[in-house]
């Protein structure tokens, strides 16, 4: 099984690379519309139920990479903090608080939406959003925030970093040509919308 780097998966940092990050001391704060807001330590994240899913990260810039993503289902995280009925969106913040993006709760509750720490059995490096990142295979990759430090449970939607710069708020994956990083960047067709299968 290949790593993301071995497949030459593009590395995107709109806000600039954060540099080396301390996995063991990583914390993710989950706050907002929930009964039990909590700051999760790295060990607490690993102590939550762990789920591995096979799916693709697919960029609006038209490349896609498939593999085994592992972490905590957002559904399980939401259950753990007691998400309120008024929670309608999740807003992810990346380290440095420059990059953010928000998704509707119905997408967060889907079976493959994760707070992910591993790809194909290895912990994610900083390049690819480690220690933990959002992994939302149902929407364009800009909804999968890297190096997540905070998740706000929101009653109202706010546009994020890329959404404010012209990408759609819905991030609905659209049909068309797309490079498959698992196949050396060969151009294939996305059937779309929704989770990508080649
Ligand atoms: N913090 C942060 N997260 C981010 C981005 C970014 O620039 N900064 N780019 C997004 C976009 S557009 C895509 S397609 C994926 C790419 O993930 P990768 O860099 O791990 O391949 O990360 C998303 N998450
Ligand atoms: Mo992207």
């Amino acid at each position: 099984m290949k790593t993301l780097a071995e497949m030459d998966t593009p590395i995107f940092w709109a806000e600039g690379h954060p540099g080396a990050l301390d996995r063991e001391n990583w914390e993710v704060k989950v706050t907002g519309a929930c009964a039990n807001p909590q700051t999760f330590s790295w060990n607490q994240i690993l102590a939550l139920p762990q789920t591995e899913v096979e799916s693709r990260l697919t960029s609006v810039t038209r490349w896609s990479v498939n593999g085994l993503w592992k972490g905590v289902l957002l559904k399980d995280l939401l259950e753990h903090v007691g998400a309120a009925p008024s929670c309608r969106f999740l807003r992810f913040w990346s380290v440095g608080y420059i990059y953010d993006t928000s998704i509707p709760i119905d997408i967060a509750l889907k079976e493959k939406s994760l707070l992910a720490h591993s790809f194909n059995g290895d912990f994610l490096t900083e390049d690819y959003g480690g220690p933990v990142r959002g992994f939302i295979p149902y929407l364009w990759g800009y909804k999968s925030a890297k190096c997540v430090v905070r998740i706000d449970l929101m009653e109202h939607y706010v546009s994020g970093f890329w959404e404010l710069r012209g990408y759609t708020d819905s991030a609905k994956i659209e049909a068309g040509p797309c490079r498959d990083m698992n196949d050396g960047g060969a151009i294939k067709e996305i059937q779309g919308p929704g989770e990508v299968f080649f």
Side-chain angles (χ1 to χ4, degrees):
M1 280 195 303
K2 290 192 170 171
T3 64
L4 290 162
E6 283 166 347
M7 289 186 274
D8 286 325
T9 305
I11 297 168
F12 287 167
W13 287 111
E15 74 274 45
H17 196 293
L21 301 173
D22 185 355
R23 180 176 288 124
E24 307 297 318
N25 288 309
W26 199 255
E27 290 184 341
V28 179
K29 181 176 183 171
V30 182
T31 185
C34 61
N36 311 301
Q38 189 178 331
T39 300
F40 294 87
S41 67
W42 172 247
N43 285 327
Q44 286 172 323
I45 292 168
L46 294 185
L48 289 168
Q50 303 290 300
T51 302
E52 192 169 51
V53 303
E54 181 179 0
S55 191
R56 291 184 163 278
L57 176 67
T58 303
S59 176
V60 66
T61 61
R62 298 210 165 263
W63 56 265
S64 178
V65 67
N66 185 61
L68 298 173
W69 300 82
K70 189 176 177 185
V72 178
L73 281 178
L74 293 176
K75 176 177 173 289
D76 290 338
L77 192 69
L78 288 168
E79 205 174 286
H80 195 85
V81 298
S86 60
C87 169
R88 292 173 56 227
F89 300 93
L90 279 69
R91 183 183 198 179
F92 296 84
W93 284 102
S94 295
V95 67
Y97 291 94
I98 297 168
Y99 194 97
D100 74 301
T101 191
S102 295
I103 62 167
I105 193 157
D106 57 309
I107 298 285
L109 291 174
K110 285 173 84 87
E111 59 182 344
K112 295 184 181 181
S113 293
L114 291 174
L115 184 64
H117 54 62
S118 298
F119 179 82
N120 282 351
D122 294 321
F123 284 139
L124 294 167
T125 62
E126 291 88 346
D127 283 352
Y128 294 106
V132 290
R133 71 178 297 164
F135 175 65
I136 317 295
Y138 310 100
L139 302 175
W140 289 129
Y142 59 88
K143 294 291 189 181
S144 294
K146 309 202 312 187
C147 308
V148 168
V149 289
R150 178 165 159 169
I151 302 172
D152 291 330
L153 308 187
M154 313 273 289
E155 300 184 357
H156 301 285
Y157 181 78
V158 285
S159 295
F161 183 96
W162 278 123
E163 294 87 344
L164 289 169
R165 290 164 177 79
Y167 287 158
T168 61
D169 286 304
S170 70
K172 193 173 83 168
I173 292 174
E174 281 165 33
C178 183
R179 288 190 299 134
D180 182 5
M181 303 318 296
N182 298 77
D183 193 5
I187 294 175
K188 302 189 179 172
E189 284 294 317
I190 293 180
Q191 303 308 317
E195 192 180 347
V196 173
F197 301 97
F198 288 136

